[in-house]
Amino acid sequence: MRLVHLDLKGAAPRVSYLEQVFPLLSQLGANGVLIEYEDMFPFKGELEILRSPYAYSEEDIERIQQLAEQHKLEVVPLVQTFGHVEFILKHEKYQHLREVERFPNSFNPHVPDTLALLKTILSQVIEKHRHSTWIHIGADEVFHLGEGMDSKNWMSHNKGDVGTMYLKHIKEVLSFLTAQYWGLRVLMWDDMLRKISVGALRGEGTGTEVVAPVPGSSAAPTVCPPWQASPPVPAGAYVLLCGSRGSMRSPRLPLAAGTNVPSLLYDHYSVLCELLPVSIPSLAICLQTLVNGGFTEEAKRKVLDVLGLESVQLEQSTCEGRGAFPGVEIYHMVEQVNGHLKESILKALEEESAIKGWFSPYHRKRQFGNPRNMESFGSKVLKLHEDWESFVRDLRAQLERIYFPDTVEEWMEENVNPYLDQLRDLVRDYR
């Protein structure tokens, strides 16, 4: 199985974009998609509070599965059952289920309502994925586990450790799944299991067969810290991650094969990760690397052919050519934002001597200046402003074709407005 993990916390694409992406994934060697819906799932009844205003409809969920089947991609839904549940525990209604009252990261496994809620969530998701033979229960990065009073009391009374307590909760989740959905196979992340003693694992186990896939190189930086470059490709891994929350950096490609990747996923509260269209070249290289057992010449030719590129340079993390993949316009526009927006505006504001000398914050605040000196930079600044405003209108139009309004606004606020607003303010004061 070569699964592409679509982590939808924050930058979920419209289904119309997935219609273009799924055939590409299949063509590049994927045979499944691991979909972490978070608040994009159309929860019903008591769970309706969990839905994003832009959550997929039930028809959308059905359409996604039809698209996957059409392109021979197995759908594996992912439901977090221990950690990474900020989208649930941020709500006042569920705050009493937090392991530590101040933090919305992880469930308290000792409150009966926790398992009851998970059963309801799992049931709703599984019911809408009746053709799926796998379910992923997450269970990674259960931050602060053991720090809550209930956990401390449990450990003191049971002579147990955090690992035993972790396994106890996982076994309860698995018992529900095996009893309720016979034949459904379970996936989970392995980072918490690695911290548990061999004795605890032997003593507790999980009571059922569970597969713990190794995350592969990401097409977006969900498995590397915000300050690091793109993670390398580990040999033999088969889950490729396309995250939506983390740091946004320039388009880049995986660097090398054969190195382990740190397991670090971002959460519901972090800034947006790289946008999916920007990450497609990286994802294509990762998939073809897995298919071919390395980034061979054959793999490289396939990537260039499918994506319509002229060349890729792994060492420089760049690719050349106009490209012909879904969202390629955004790919190039993000390159412009990353490479030129900040630089051109700061250059105008900080290196133009007439602005520094005759149109300083002091002048602007008191609204006075020498027209002769102001005219020396005015036309240049007005042209720069006009060009970037025109560019941003085009960028916004492209983003709106793929993303919902909240994603577009957040991306612009994080990546464009901090610089463009400075230019806008200067032009306003100049006029």
Side-chain angles (χ1 to χ4, degrees):
M1 296 173 72
R2 291 182 293 271
L3 307 176
V4 173
H5 177 189
L6 296 174
D7 185 351
L8 304 181
K9 56 171 73 73
R14 297 177 185 272
V15 176
S16 57
Y17 185 63
L18 295 180
E19 289 177 352
Q20 302 173 60
V21 169
F22 277 19
L24 184 72
L25 299 182
S26 181
Q27 196 175 1
L28 288 166
N31 54 22
V33 283
L34 176 66
I35 306 181
E36 185 170 358
Y37 290 105
E38 259 218 9
D39 58 359
M40 287 302 293
F41 188 80
F43 291 110
K44 296 189 299 185
E46 64 179 285
L47 301 181
E48 195 167 340
I49 191 175
L50 303 180
R51 294 172 59 163
S52 159
Y54 302 101
Y56 294 141
S57 66
E58 293 185 20
E59 292 75 21
D60 289 334
I61 301 297
E62 183 60 34
R63 177 62 179 147
I64 288 170
Q65 293 176 88
Q66 289 173 354
L67 287 168
E69 183 179 5
Q70 182 181 342
H71 298 289
K72 297 180 173 57
L73 298 169
E74 178 155 6
V75 174
V76 180
L78 190 159
V79 176
Q80 289 286 1
T81 56
F82 216 157
H84 285 295
V85 285
E86 298 89 354
F87 82 102
I88 299 171
L89 299 184
K90 71 178 183 181
H91 295 285
E92 186 177 354
K93 178 179 180 179
Y94 297 117
Q95 282 183 7
H96 68 290
L97 302 182
R98 295 177 177 184
E99 167 70 357
V100 176
E101 186 179 356
R102 288 189 300 129
F103 305 133
N105 304 74
S106 307
F107 277 125
N108 177 344
H110 310 286
V111 181
D113 285 353
T114 291
L115 189 60
L117 175 62
L118 283 173
K119 287 179 179 179
T120 305
I121 291 173
L122 285 163
S123 296
Q124 288 199 17
V125 173
I126 293 170
E127 288 301 320
K128 292 298 177 188
H129 294 83
R130 297 302 296 189
H131 298 297
S132 293
T133 58
W134 294 88
I135 180 77
H136 198 305
I137 61 170
D140 60 312
E141 296 182 334
V142 188
F143 298 135
H144 308 294
L145 183 60
E147 296 178 18
M149 283 308 301
D150 288 345
S151 290
K152 290 177 180 178
N153 290 336
W154 185 91
M155 287 188 288
S156 66
H157 287 104
N158 292 274
K159 297 180 181 178
D161 59 15
V162 173
T164 303
M165 190 168 60
Y166 172 85
L167 289 172
K168 178 178 178 292
H169 176 72
I170 295 302
K171 285 175 71 175
E172 289 175 342
V173 172
L174 295 173
S175 295
F176 164 72
L177 290 171
T178 52
Q180 195 74 16
Y181 302 100
W182 187 86
L184 187 64
R185 291 175 288 181
V186 182
L187 290 161
M188 65 182 287
W189 300 125
D190 71 332
D191 61 301
M192 295 296 292
L193 296 174
R194 290 175 181 270
K195 301 174 185 176
I196 299 173
S197 68
V198 174
L201 284 170
R202 283 177 176 157
E204 289 291 324
T206 58
T208 187
E209 183 182 356
V210 180
V211 179
V214 181
S217 178
S218 69
T222 55
V223 291
C224 63
W227 57 88
Q228 282 190 5
S230 174
V233 188
Y238 70 91
V239 176
L240 303 171
L241 297 118
C242 293
S244 55
R245 289 210 172 269
S247 74
M248 207 299 299
R249 290 185 298 279
S250 60
R252 68 212 178 302
L253 310 173
L255 304 178
T259 311
N260 288 328
V261 174
S263 176
L264 184 98
L265 294 174
Y266 299 114
D267 66 28
H268 189 75
Y269 287 89
S270 66
V271 295
L272 287 177
C273 260
E274 230 160 54
L275 299 173
L276 181 52
V278 177
S279 69
I280 281 179
S282 176
L283 177 58
I285 289 171
C286 292
L287 280 168
Q288 275 298 297
T289 297
L290 294 180
V291 170
N292 291 277
F295 193 53
T296 62
E297 280 301 313
E298 182 182 352
K300 186 175 182 178
R301 281 197 303 273
K302 177 78 170 181
V303 168
L304 296 178
D305 181 51
V306 171
L307 301 187
L309 296 171
E310 294 173 9
S311 66
V312 294
Q313 304 296 331
L314 294 192
E315 293 76 14
Q316 288 77 38
S317 294
T318 60
C319 54
E320 303 295 331
R322 287 304 305 165
F325 54 88
V328 68
E329 299 87 357
I330 290 176
Y331 180 93
H332 290 301
M333 286 179 146
V334 170
E335 278 189 316
Q336 290 293 311
V337 169
N338 290 342
H340 303 294
L341 176 65
K342 177 181 177 180
E343 179 186 355
S344 67
I345 291 175
L346 293 183
K347 184 175 181 181
L349 295 180
E350 296 176 6
E351 295 183 16
E352 181 65 54
S353 60
I355 292 179
K356 296 187 75 171
W358 283 271
F359 204 53
S360 71
Y362 183 86
H363 293 94
R364 292 166 62 183
K365 183 177 180 180
R366 288 158 180 79
Q367 298 185 342
F368 78 96
N370 188 326
R372 177 179 178 275
N373 300 93
M374 289 176 64
E375 287 174 4
S376 70
F377 67 80
S379 59
K380 188 189 303 182
V381 166
L382 291 174
K383 178 69 164 60
L384 182 67
H385 174 251
E386 181 185 333
D387 289 347
W388 277 119
E389 290 288 10
S390 174
F391 173 87
V392 167
R393 281 194 297 272
D394 292 342
L395 172 59
R396 181 181 287 274
Q398 292 292 342
L399 289 172
E400 287 172 348
R401 290 175 53 239
I402 292 175
Y403 292 106
F404 298 98
D406 58 339
T407 297
V408 177
E409 289 308 317
E410 182 174 354
W411 198 89
M412 299 296 280
E413 286 280 346
E414 288 284 346
N415 300 285
V416 173
N417 293 354
Y419 311 110
L420 191 53
D421 281 350
Q422 295 179 57
L423 184 59
R424 288 164 173 161
D425 291 343
L426 181 77
V427 168
R428 180 200 63 211
D429 291 348
Y430 173 81
R431 284 175 172 154

